[in-house]
Amino acid sequence: MLKGHTAIITGGSRGIGAAVAKKLASMGADIAVIYAGSDELAQKVCKECSDSYGVKAMAYKCNVADFEQTKETVAAIKNDLGNIGILVNNAGITRDGLIATMKEAAFDEVIDTNLKGSFNLIRHVCPLMIRGKYGRIINISSVSGIMGNPGQINYSASKAGVIGLTKTTARELASKGITCNAIAPGFIATDMTKDLAQTNQDILNAIPLKRAGTPEDIAGAVAFLVTADYVTGDVIRVDGGMAI
Ligand code: NAI
């Protein structure tokens, strides 16, 4: 279905990003995993994509917050895999703390990774999509960007920013055959949330569907948006009803 397209997935080495990479590979896309952490994990995801689905899959170590590095990485992906049609901006971090005591660095780091990182990739990929007259951009936001969340002023600001970025990108690029949408996950069981184990039960009680989401729940929504030609500028909550 996606044969002939390359999909870039930032933060594709684990968690939600790894599930998205495998899902898009299962649909026939060649895969470029951008990651910041473990080389081994990134290579493992690529191997699973190519062994299971016969697609090309390559890993690129790159800090999404760095404008020049992302520019060079996108050029390398185009050179190695060609025809970039899909971009999933998934890389993200948390540095939680209360407003009254949050360090400046904790605010800057989260905005730089989650918000500017998404801008950097869109900025470098969209000229290629415009030339190809096709693009599917999916940004991973959060219910924290919709509802706000105590202890996450930096994170919820970055994720609300991602929604604004999504809507403007959708409006600017619609005439070029490019759609841009956001997904707002709720509480998904990954490394990012494993330290919240103590408050797990309280969080689960606040979810109408009474369970944590899985990375595959988010990958399913990405697959929908990649194939939904008439949906753009939308924000889809995948949160078990958390933000109703
Ligand atoms: P995770 O912590 O398991 O994975 C994050 C990925 O981002 C890793 O592959 C990491 O290497 C990469 N990354 C981090 N900083 C980077 C940088 N500067 N440059 C390149 N790559 C970088 O997190 P998880 O849970 O899989 O989250 C994925 C996305 O979903 C994030 O944007 C997160 O904010 C969002 N999200 C997660 C929720 C959850 O409950 N787990 C809820 C709502 C949103």
Side-chain angles (χ1 to χ4, degrees):
M1 191 189 289
L2 301 178
K3 207 169 161 30
H5 291 297
T6 294
I8 297 181
I9 301 103
T10 69
S13 60
R14 68 183 204 193
I16 293 170
V20 169
K22 288 180 227 171
K23 182 72 187 180
L24 295 179
S26 79
M27 296 165 79
D30 291 325
I31 300 296
V33 164
I34 289 181
Y35 67 105
S38 154
D39 301 337
E40 203 184 321
L41 279 184
Q43 293 300 343
K44 190 165 164 259
V45 171
C46 289
K47 188 166 176 348
E48 273 182 66
C49 289
S50 50
D51 287 358
S52 303
Y53 306 109
V55 300
K56 285 186 244 163
M58 295 178 70
Y60 300 83
K61 194 162 203 164
C62 165
N63 176 7
V64 296
D66 185 319
F67 189 82
E68 283 307 316
Q69 232 185 79
T70 50
K71 186 178 179 182
E72 285 159 20
T73 301
V74 168
I77 294 169
K78 182 180 181 290
N79 190 47
D80 296 341
L81 298 169
N83 212 16
I84 300 166
I86 299 159
L87 167 64
V88 183
N89 275 313
N90 163 81
I93 57 167
T94 51
R95 297 286 181 268
D96 294 353
L98 297 171
I99 301 168
T101 51
M102 182 172 284
K103 298 265 189 297
E104 185 184 8
F107 190 86
D108 290 347
E109 219 181 312
V110 169
I111 298 289
D112 284 353
T113 304
N114 300 3
L115 181 56
K116 192 180 168 209
S118 300
F119 162 74
N120 285 343
L121 268 295
I122 294 172
R123 167 67 184 82
H124 300 313
V125 165
C126 83
L128 305 174
M129 289 179 167
I130 290 170
R131 232 169 284 150
K133 299 188 175 61
Y134 173 87
R136 296 286 174 266
I137 301 171
I138 294 145
N139 300 316
I140 306 298
S141 176
S142 167
V143 291
S144 181
I146 296 173
M147 302 194 295
N149 196 23
Q152 290 200 312
I153 188 169
N154 48 1
Y155 184 78
S156 63
S158 74
K159 294 300 189 178
V162 163
I163 291 173
L165 189 125
T166 299
K167 292 181 179 178
T168 293
T169 305
R171 283 184 183 275
E172 263 193 45
L173 300 182
S175 65
K176 312 289 181 194
I178 299 167
T179 65
C180 181
N181 293 283
I183 294 171
F187 182 64
I188 312 298
T190 67
D191 286 326
M192 182 178 270
T193 50
K194 69 178 188 305
D195 293 340
L196 295 173
Q198 270 179 327
T199 51
N200 234 335
Q201 203 47 52
D202 291 345
I203 296 171
L204 295 184
N205 285 339
I207 301 172
L209 287 177
K210 298 290 176 221
R211 69 164 176 91
T214 64
E216 289 71 28
D217 288 325
I218 308 303
V222 171
F224 164 71
L225 288 172
V226 165
T227 53
D229 295 341
Y230 201 55
V231 179
T232 197
D234 209 347
V235 183
I236 299 184
R237 284 189 297 106
V238 183
D239 66 349
M242 196 181 203
I244 291 172

